[in-house]
Amino acid sequence: MRSDGRGHADLHLHSDHSDGTEPPAAVVAAAHRHGLRTVSLTDHDTTAGWVEAAEAAVSLGMTFLPGMELSARHEWRSVHVLGYLFDPDDTGLRALTDRIRDSRHTRARRIVDNIGRDHDLTWDDVAARTAADATVGRPHIADALVDRGLVRDRGEAFAGILHPRGPYYVALYAPDPVTAVAAIAAAGGVPIVAHPAARAPLPMPVIERMLAAGLAGFELGHRENAEPGLSVLRALVRERDLIETGSSDYHGTGKPNVPGEFTTSDEMVARIAARGTGSALVAP
Ligand code: AMP
Ligand code: ZN
Ligand code: FE
Ligand code: FE
């Protein structure tokens, strides 16, 4: 297990309410087994797992920090904005997540139709791998491809059949990152860019507009972050005194990521807690 040794919080975990493979209580139990004391459930574009995760956390003597990973896009770049402590009933944010989730559904069906032209795959295969009302994504299609014996695992599916530059890909609707940040902030939440130095980094002028819209910080600790982008953001965080988090982005058996492989310090958890006004930490 890799660890930065600084904290006891993992603020980026997925359940089967999106593309994790376990229900929220099992995700929290996995975090507990890895010695974590504060957890956030950050399913893509949904808060449906909060109640179960909060109850599981409290029953294990852990603190629950409400969260979500909001889908956004800048030009062709997929951008993920983590939101913490926002009001889950905020109408603006709800409208945005409803629209994204609708689009994800339509788009997943179109991708499956496209794949079905060449391979033995139907929407029923995907539905069988998607929990009721879950935010559907390519990982669910990947799991159906595994069931059909067309690929070995999610990684192979993403590298091939599901690749964005492949013949079957369809994009989802996603707001621009400034809109995503503003929507979380308007709901009383704390917006943090997820895995900000993974793949194609955002141009600095876009980051400046996100900061002006209320961006609070960056997830500097994440296995997919890479140089040189990481050093640039580390310097920005220091210079502007922004919040920095570290997390695993655990997806159950859907990814190799292990709870606690990167962590967030108690100081940063306290800063998030002090800034978020739309919902509250749930402590034992
Ligand atoms: P989508 O949002 O439907 O476009 O799918 C992107 C999601 O798939 C992200 O949330 C990632 O967590 C997940 N993902 C991306 N690449 C991989 C991979 N190689 N293996 C497993 N999951 C992946
Ligand atoms: Zn995911
Ligand atoms: Fe992400
Ligand atoms: Fe994630």
Side-chain angles (χ1 to χ4, degrees), residues 19 44 80 104 107 137-139 154-155 158 172 251 254-255:
D19 53 5
H44 299 282
H80 287 171
R104 282 177 160 281
R107 166 263 197 167
R138 282 179 291 158
R154 285 187 180 183
F158 272 88
L172 58 106
H251 280 70
K255 280 188 165 188

Side-chain angles (χ1 to χ4, degrees), residues 4-5 12 19 25 52 59 83 133 136 140 146 161 167 193 201 230 235 253 260:
D4 49 24
H12 186 167
D19 53 5
E52 182 182 323
S59 77
D133 295 326
V136 69
H140 300 97
V146 173
I161 293 177
V193 183
L230 186 54
T253 59

Side-chain angles (χ1 to χ4, degrees), residues 45 71 73 95-111 123 135-137 170-175:
D45 312 310
S71 304
R73 183 167 52 243
L96 200 56
T97 53
D98 284 352
R99 183 169 174 201
I100 295 167
R101 283 161 47 82
D102 274 359
S103 155
R104 282 177 160 281
H105 193 82
T106 315
R107 166 263 197 167
R109 292 193 81 115
R110 286 174 60 199
I111 293 176
W123 180 250
T135 300
V136 69
V170 179
L172 58 106
Y173 159 76

Side-chain angles (χ1 to χ4, degrees), residues 40 42 66-70 81-86 184 189-192:
S40 183
T42 53
M68 179 170 77
E69 186 173 14
L70 185 60
V81 183
L82 293 159
Y84 298 110
L85 295 169
F86 57 87
I184 293 166
V190 185
I192 307 263

Side-chain angles (χ1 to χ4, degrees), residues 47-273:
T47 62
W50 282 11
V51 171
E52 182 182 323
E55 281 174 3
V58 168
S59 77
L60 291 167
M62 302 164 81
T63 297
F64 176 72
L65 182 74
M68 179 170 77
E69 186 173 14
L70 185 60
S71 304
R73 183 167 52 243
H74 174 68
E75 296 169 348
W76 44 270
R77 295 171 188 79
S78 164
V79 180
H80 287 171
V81 183
L82 293 159
Y84 298 110
L85 295 169
F86 57 87
D87 175 3
D89 298 320
D90 179 83
T91 49
L93 189 54
R94 277 302 275 263
L96 200 56
T97 53
D98 284 352
R99 183 169 174 201
I100 295 167
R101 283 161 47 82
D102 274 359
S103 155
R104 282 177 160 281
H105 193 82
T106 315
R107 166 263 197 167
R109 292 193 81 115
R110 286 174 60 199
I111 293 176
V112 171
D113 285 346
N114 291 346
I115 296 171
R117 294 193 311 251
D118 294 333
H119 302 281
D120 196 11
L121 184 79
T122 67
W123 180 250
D124 284 347
D125 299 328
V126 178
R129 287 308 226 119
T130 309
D133 295 326
T135 300
V136 69
R138 282 179 291 158
H140 300 97
I141 305 175
D143 291 345
L145 290 166
V146 173
D147 290 344
R148 282 281 180 177
L150 292 162
V151 295
R152 236 172 312 136
D153 54 23
R154 285 187 180 183
E156 189 181 328
F158 272 88
I161 293 177
L162 294 175
H163 198 280
R165 286 190 298 277
Y168 311 123
Y169 186 77
V170 179
L172 58 106
Y173 159 76
D176 72 82
V178 178
T179 302
V181 164
I184 293 166
V190 185
I192 307 263
V193 183
H195 41 75
R199 294 172 293 269
L202 281 166
M204 204 49 80
V206 177
I207 288 177
E208 291 291 359
R209 290 202 294 278
M210 292 167 77
L211 287 167
L215 182 64
F218 295 89
E219 185 184 57
L220 294 183
H222 187 287
R223 66 158 66 204
E224 290 174 32
N225 285 336
E227 296 298 345
L230 186 54
S231 291
V232 172
L233 293 174
R234 214 180 274 296
L236 181 73
V237 163
R238 204 175 306 129
E239 188 188 297
R240 310 280 179 97
D241 191 27
L242 303 174
I243 294 172
E244 67 172 280
T245 63
S247 359
S248 65
D249 204 359
Y250 178 68
H251 280 70
T253 59
K255 280 188 165 188
N257 310 28
V258 179
E261 65 179 30
F262 287 93
T263 57
T264 300
S265 70
D266 295 347
E267 180 206 341
M268 291 297 166
V269 172
R271 282 180 63 176
I272 293 170

